[in-house]
């Protein structure tokens, strides 16, 4: 390593949290209720055995499945069909660190977008220019946590 002997070392200040935090696990019903109140989260999947995280808009279906829309020819669509993936969304106050986070783990499946009409039978969704697909993550495990201040 060719370090510059004249360069000053970088000083890193430790992050100080204003208040210690504790967490409380939420039941699945409450976790899905909180998840339904936000519209942006992160999908976590693998590409070539490496983790990938992508912020996405989403909605929930009546069974608690997470629905995402993406281009039919996207890396996300190619990587997740049939795979077990994770999805996470949260609301955290930047000042005091309180809030909640919910993680959904489950198998992803690609399907026709439910909000748009089906394409004509002669055009497959993956071959049409600009075609979209819907990814549904079936909720096999839902973990919610309430981020609370310590009562000190």
């Amino acid at each position: 390593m060719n370090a510059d002997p004249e360069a000053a070392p970088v000083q890193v200040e430790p992050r100080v949290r204003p208040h210690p935090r504790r967490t409380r696990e939420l039941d699945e019903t409450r976790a899905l209720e909180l998840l339904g109140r936000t519209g942006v989260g992160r999908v976590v999947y693998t590409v070539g055995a490496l983790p990938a995280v992508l912020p996405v808009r989403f909605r929930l279906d009546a069974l608690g499945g997470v629905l995402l829309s993406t281009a039919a020819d996207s890396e996300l669509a190619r990587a997740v069909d049939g795979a077990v993936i994770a999805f996470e969304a949260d609301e955290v106050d930047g000042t005091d660190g309180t809030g909640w986070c919910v993680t959904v783990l489950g198998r992803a499946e690609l399907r026709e977008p439910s909000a748009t009409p089906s394409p004509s039978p002669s055009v497959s969704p993956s071959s049409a220019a600009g075609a979209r697909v819907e990814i549904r993550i079936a909720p096999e495990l839902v973990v919610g946590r309430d981020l609370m201040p310590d009562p000190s």
Side-chain angles (χ1 to χ4, degrees):
M1 186 160 132
N2 295 336
D4 182 359
E6 301 288 322
V10 175
Q11 296 293 324
V12 178
E13 294 294 322
R15 273 181 96 168
V16 178
R17 292 190 314 193
H19 304 286
R21 297 287 144 250
R22 63 186 175 99
T23 62
R24 177 184 61 187
E25 195 161 324
L26 302 171
D27 65 48
E28 184 173 329
T29 301
R30 177 69 175 144
L32 289 172
E33 176 186 309
L34 290 168
L35 195 58
R37 293 187 348 197
T38 188
V40 177
R42 289 158 289 286
V43 62
V44 182
Y45 60 103
T46 58
V47 176
L50 296 174
V53 180
L54 183 67
V56 294
R57 294 185 187 277
F58 75 98
R59 66 186 198 284
L60 295 179
D61 66 16
L63 300 174
V66 177
L67 303 173
L68 321 170
S69 176
T70 190
D73 62 350
S74 68
E75 174 187 82
L76 177 62
R78 288 189 305 273
V80 304
D81 193 20
V84 174
I85 63 174
F87 178 82
E88 190 274 341
D90 56 54
E91 284 186 6
V92 179
D93 185 304
T95 337
D96 66 7
T98 59
W100 57 267
C101 68
V102 174
T103 303
V104 176
L105 299 173
R107 192 161 305 278
E109 75 173 299
L110 296 182
R111 57 193 201 177
E112 296 291 317
S114 57
T116 59
S118 298
S120 66
S122 62
V123 179
S124 77
S126 58
S127 66
R132 308 284 296 171
V133 293
E134 186 172 76
I135 299 170
R136 180 178 190 271
I137 305 169
E140 296 174 29
L141 177 63
V142 177
V143 178
R145 290 188 176 82
D146 198 6
L147 309 171
M148 306 175 317
D150 273 342
S152 52

